[in-house]
Amino acid sequence: MSKTYLPVDVYTAARQRMERVFDDFPNVYLSFSAGKDSGVMLNLALIVAREKGCLPLNVLILDLEAQYQHTADYIQRVADHPDVNLHWVCLPLHLRNAVSQIQPHWMCWDPDARDLWVRDLPDHPKVISDEAFFPFFKRGMEFEEFVPAFGEWFSAQHGGERTACMVGIRSDESLNRFRTIVSEKKTRWQDFGWTTLVTPHVYNAYPIYDWKTEDVWTANGKFGWDYNTVYDLMHLAGLSLHDMRLCQPFGDDQRQGLWLFKILEPDVWAKLVNRVAGANFGQRHVQEMGNVMGNIRIQLPEGYTWKRYAKFLLATMPPYLAEHYRKKIAKFLKVWRKDIRSGKYPVDRIYDFADPKMEAARKVPSWRRVCKVILKNDYWCKGLSFSQTTREMDRQLALITKYMDL
């Protein structure tokens, strides 16, 4: 789908979108991550909210514990802002750990691991750490479960009226984010592509979706807005504007930035290594090409087929984790065999290996694809065209709890 450019600059367009949000929605809150995009969105939203008489601005942040100290300091400044009503959530959430097969997930703010926490619980009246505060919360919820549940709770707190959550995603960051904006299958508010109905009472609004990275830093510089100064350290470390990212550091994509903790905040890094299994291993090897983390090209050990190698890798895993992968692989093979019989794709069998480009495009089944998924610690098997499901999240939490108790 081609892009159609507006006759206004991105700053003006974002203001207009925000004005429409405050005009059309009785309840508005902003999803804040303390990163550069949500930070610039927050500063602009405060201006518009002040003009509209909608202060204080409601803001949600899910603090995932394993943060830079600069990030924690920035959140503190936002919490102290007189025009911000911050919901500073510090609750035990279930998070992905893509740098360890032994501990494929971890739980931030886990009460049973208090002695290992990367940071002390923030001492601020806006911090929410009581697990009974939200009626929908259960220990070990996924981030993806909490966010929509919070939106419905927030709406209910304000009479169940229509609610907008402003989210600072930008479409040039990834194809998936671009698709979020242009999708014609989603339910929109007033047919605005920059809105998406996510729960019965809540729409997401993406007011800065068409900003580029350069626009974010231009706005911060031109208007003197506050931002997370860890980006200054990233710049000094030699990162380009487009490589500077903040996120949960152990995720499947996010693990690429683990090495930065060691350089930018050594004290925090020492605590991370002690907190989450595989952290040091990950920062050493996550960017290497080869079998250690399954990046780019992987090599077949002498005397093995890819099918036999896959079975060997499964045999080296903890039993519950191996069973998880076996079920995914079996489903992958079953679906492909059905498609092969139906003639849906021009393939005639499950290959041991195939053309690398076809494998990367997921257009052909092979055991090499299976091996790559296992080596990459791709827990949800995205490389086999799967995605995370609520049922699997519940099952994974139950398994982790079971083996933690043994």
Side-chain angles (χ1 to χ4, degrees), residues 79-131:
D80 291 337
H81 197 295
D83 293 333
V84 171
N85 179 30
L86 184 65
H87 297 77
W88 189 347
V89 177
C90 298
L91 291 172
L93 296 173
H94 189 229
L95 302 170
R96 177 78 173 103
N97 177 21
V99 293
S100 172
Q101 285 190 349
I102 305 302
Q103 187 190 36
H105 292 83
W106 70 290
M107 195 182 301
C108 65
W109 305 115
D110 181 359
D112 297 330
R114 184 179 296 270
D115 293 342
L116 300 176
W117 284 359
V118 176
R119 298 160 36 226
D120 291 332
L121 195 69
D123 183 17
H124 197 281
K126 295 180 180 179
V127 169
I128 301 172
S129 59
D130 181 359
E131 294 183 42

